[in-house]
Amino acid sequence: MGTYDTQLVREFYQGLVNHAHLTLHIRQLAGINSHHIIEASFKAFARALKGAIASIRGGGAPSPVPKGFCSFGQPVLANIAIRKTLKT
């Protein structure tokens, strides 16, 4: 990852969930390449967030654990729950 401090990824997610009132679980299922693991975590998070927002906007009850999965040889799973109502 060059000079990028990979520990900042955790700090990014921590700040995001604290301020957006989200519950987020990201699991690395396999892999050792930090670049691909980080890339897959962001894509899995985006898919999970999209599912959570779509379930709220659909008028139904929010899905308790929308899931996103992304694999680039480095499978990552993200689960997300929104803890407060989003303003649309």
Side-chain angles (χ1 to χ4, degrees):
M1 298 280 312
T3 60
Y4 181 72
D5 183 2
T6 57
Q7 297 299 315
L8 293 176
V9 175
R10 185 183 188 285
E11 295 300 320
F12 166 78
Y13 282 125
Q14 190 66 55
L16 179 72
V17 300
N18 287 344
H19 293 285
H21 301 280
L22 304 174
T23 299
L24 176 64
H25 300 276
I26 296 177
R27 286 191 307 154
Q28 174 191 343
L29 304 176
I32 57 172
N33 183 308
S34 61
H35 171 85
H36 289 208
I37 292 167
I38 291 168
E39 180 181 14
S41 77
F42 279 111
K43 290 187 177 188
F45 169 74
R47 290 177 180 176
L49 184 61
K50 182 179 178 181
I53 292 171
S55 68
I56 291 171
R57 288 190 175 161
S63 176
V65 187
K67 294 180 180 164
F69 179 80
C70 194
S71 175
F72 293 101
Q74 320 292 318
V76 173
L77 176 68
N79 298 337
I80 187 168
I82 297 175
R83 296 192 311 243
K84 81 176 195 183
T85 304
L86 295 176
K87 295 180 181 179
T88 56

